[in-house]
C-alpha cells in the first residue's frame, strides 16, 4: 500500500493497493454495511458508532437518536459504498490505483473510523492505546484488519494534514 499526494499537487490523496488489499477493503466495507443494516440495538459495535448523546437522560437520548440516527446511518453507508466503488476490481493480478479528491478522502476516513470502531469492539480493544493488552485469544484476522486499517488511516491523515506540509 502506498498513500501519497495526488498527481500535479491537487488536493486529495492517491492510494495504490495490491489487488488483495483492494479486495479486503471492499469486503470490509460490505461488513460495515451489514452491521449498519442488520445490527441490533444490543450490538455493542453500534454503541461505539452511535454513542448516547445524553448518557444521563434516556428519554432525551432516545429522542435525539430518533431525529439523527437515520441520516447518520445513511452517511456511514455512503462512505462504505464509496470505498466499495473505488476498490472494485476484476480480481486480476497487479495494483489498484485510486485518486481521491479532498471530499472523497474524508469520506474514506469516515469509513476507516467506523471500521476500526467495529473491529475494536469485536477484538476487545477498549482503548486504542492498550490494543496490545486486549485478549490475544480473539480472531487474529480481525486484529490484523484493525491494525492495517489504522495504518491506512494514519497514512491518509499525514497526506491530508495541512499542518504537516
Amino acid at each position: 500500500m502506498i498513500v501519497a499526494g495526488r498527481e500535479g499537487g491537487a488536493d486529495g490523496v492517491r492510494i495504490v493497493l495490491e489487488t488483495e488489499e483492494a479486495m479486503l477493503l471492499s469486503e470490509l466495507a460490505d461488513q460495515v454495511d451489514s452491521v449498519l443494516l442488520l445490527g441490533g440495538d444490543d450490538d455493542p459495535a453500534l454503541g461505539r458508532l452511535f454513542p448516547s448523546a445524553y448518557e444521563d437522560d434516556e428519554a432525551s437520548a432516545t429522542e435525539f437518536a430518533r431525529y439523527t440516527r437515520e441520516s447518520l446511518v445513511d452517511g456511514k453507508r455512503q462512505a462504505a459504498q464509496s470505498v466499495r466503488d473505488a476498490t472494485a476490481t476484476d480480481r486480476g493480478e497487479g495494483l489498484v490505483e485510486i485518486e481521491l479528491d479532498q471530499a472523497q478522502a474524508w469520506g474514506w476516513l469516515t469509513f476507516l473510523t467506523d471500521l476500526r470502531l467495529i473491529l475494536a469492539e469485536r477484538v476487545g480493544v477498549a482503548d486504542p492505546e492498550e490494543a496490545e493488552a486486549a485478549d490475544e485469544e480473539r480472531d487474529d484476522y480481525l486484529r490484523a484488519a484493525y491494525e492495517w486499517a489504522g495504518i491506512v488511516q494514519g497514512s491518509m491523515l499525514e497526506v491530508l494534514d495541512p499542518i504537516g506540509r
Side-chain angles (χ1 to χ4, degrees):
M1 170 207 51
I2 299 170
V3 178
R6 288 177 64 194
E7 297 286 324
D11 284 340
V13 249
R14 180 172 179 259
I15 303 171
V16 181
L17 301 167
E18 297 286 336
T19 302
E20 294 81 12
E21 291 174 313
M23 290 172 18
L24 173 64
L25 266 177
S26 183
E27 180 182 318
L28 291 169
D30 283 340
Q31 292 178 17
V32 167
D33 201 38
S34 292
V35 169
L36 290 166
L37 281 176
L38 306 172
D41 289 337
D42 60 340
D43 185 341
L46 287 177
R48 284 207 185 184
L49 289 177
F50 306 106
S52 175
Y54 302 95
E55 272 189 43
D56 298 330
D57 185 350
E58 184 64 34
S60 294
T62 301
E63 188 73 4
F64 181 82
R66 187 177 118 209
Y67 287 108
T68 61
R69 179 81 174 249
E70 187 176 326
S71 65
L72 291 172
V73 168
D74 287 346
K76 291 175 182 307
R77 292 192 67 217
Q78 287 173 8
Q81 183 61 49
S82 75
V83 171
R84 271 196 305 269
D85 291 345
T87 55
T89 177
D90 59 6
R91 300 186 187 268
E93 296 289 321
L95 301 175
V96 176
E97 296 185 32
I98 303 165
E99 293 264 341
L100 303 172
D101 65 25
Q102 195 86 330
Q104 292 168 322
W106 287 105
W108 271 53
L109 288 170
T110 296
F111 162 75
L112 290 167
T113 298
D114 295 342
L115 171 64
R116 294 191 77 228
L117 286 169
I118 292 168
L119 291 174
E121 186 60 41
R122 300 298 191 243
V123 298
V125 175
D127 179 359
E129 299 297 321
E130 298 175 12
E132 296 301 317
D135 183 3
E136 295 298 324
E137 298 297 315
R138 303 263 182 156
D139 192 336
D140 289 338
Y141 168 79
L142 294 179
R143 179 172 294 284
Y146 170 82
E147 292 170 4
W148 181 75
I151 292 167
V152 175
Q153 188 176 42
S155 299
M156 287 181 69
L157 285 169
E158 284 180 23
V159 171
L160 292 169
D161 182 9
I163 296 171
R165 291 184 183 170

